Amino acid sequence: MELSDIQILKKKDMFAEKGKVCKHLGIIESGVLRSYIEKDDSEFIKDFYFPGSIVVSYGSFLTRDPSIGYIQALEDTNLITLSRSAYDQLMKESNEWLKFGKYISDNLLIRKCRRETSFLMEDAYERYKLLLKTYPGVEQYVSQYHIAAYLGIKPESLSRLKSLNIGQ
């Protein structure tokens, strides 16, 4: 039985959608994705995913409840995917897979905590510096509009931040 699969997303295709259960966990081979939620006709970007990243609407994947947001390809993307049933099977088979599952949950929790703390404790300038440190080269792959949405600011505010020559 084949446990993993290959999924190819074209730019703007969805990996996870609001209101639908996320049935797969993905490991990005190539491409870039973003996760976001919508409120009052605005998009709030929660995270970006680059090659080597694990991508999943984790709450939905684990609980089988509908996702509250979206995960979308920002460019053509190739992923290795694992269904929830395959994931569960692997977790039962060995301690190595249990360690992998723990790695996934720990990694996602740490990213979430860093992001929340950044929004609570830092200004936009500090959040921008953290973004550049966390995702070197992010500006080569992600539009200024999406970076501004990630930082919780308007694109024109991002232009002002960039003029401060961060990291130089």
Side-chain angles (χ1 to χ4, degrees), residues 16-57:
E17 292 186 66
K18 179 180 178 179
K20 295 183 180 179
V21 174
C22 181
K23 296 180 181 178
H24 294 88
L25 173 147
I27 299 171
I28 302 172
E29 290 188 305
S30 64
V32 178
L33 294 101
R34 68 178 176 131
S35 62
Y36 67 98
I37 56 176
E38 292 179 327
K39 183 179 179 187
D40 301 328
D41 296 326
S42 294
E43 289 181 1
F44 299 91
I45 296 182
K46 295 170 51 179
D47 213 344
F48 297 111
Y49 306 91
F50 294 93
S53 297
I54 294 167
V55 61
V56 63
S57 179

Side-chain angles (χ1 to χ4, degrees), residues 52-80:
S53 297
I54 294 167
V55 61
V56 63
S57 179
Y58 201 51
S60 175
F61 182 75
L62 291 179
T63 65
R64 294 181 173 97
D65 289 338
S67 179
I68 61 167
Y70 303 87
I71 301 175
Q72 182 185 45
L74 293 177
E75 60 183 43
D76 292 351
T77 301
N78 293 340
L79 306 109
I80 299 170

Side-chain angles (χ1 to χ4, degrees), residues 2 11 17-18 24 35 39 50 54 58 86 97-98 118 122 131 143 147 152 159 163 168:
E2 190 80 20
K11 182 178 181 176
E17 292 186 66
K18 179 180 178 179
H24 294 88
S35 62
K39 183 179 179 187
F50 294 93
I54 294 167
Y58 201 51
W97 281 106
L98 277 174
S118 177
E122 298 171 342
L131 172 73
S143 74
I147 290 172
S159 294
S163 71
Q168 297 183 6

Side-chain angles (χ1 to χ4, degrees), residues 60-146:
S60 175
F61 182 75
L62 291 179
T63 65
R64 294 181 173 97
D65 289 338
S67 179
I68 61 167
Y70 303 87
I71 301 175
Q72 182 185 45
L74 293 177
E75 60 183 43
D76 292 351
T77 301
N78 293 340
L79 306 109
I80 299 170
T81 60
L82 197 61
S83 70
R84 174 62 198 268
S85 59
Y87 178 85
D88 289 343
Q89 180 182 337
L90 291 169
M91 293 303 124
K92 291 177 189 173
E93 286 182 4
S94 78
N95 284 336
E96 294 308 309
W97 281 106
L98 277 174
K99 289 177 187 175
F100 180 66
K102 182 179 179 334
Y103 167 79
I104 292 169
S105 63
D106 288 355
N107 183 282
L108 293 171
L109 179 61
I110 289 166
R111 287 169 68 137
K112 179 179 174 57
C113 289
R114 281 185 184 146
R115 177 114 167 99
E116 287 176 355
T117 301
S118 177
F119 263 92
L120 292 171
M121 303 296 291
E122 298 171 342
D123 60 21
Y125 177 78
E126 293 299 320
R127 290 195 305 273
Y128 182 56
K129 287 191 333 188
L130 180 61
L131 172 73
L132 296 178
K133 180 181 174 188
T134 304
Y135 304 115
V138 66
E139 294 178 299
Q140 296 172 0
Y141 304 100
V142 178
S143 74
Q144 298 304 297
Y145 171 82
H146 288 131

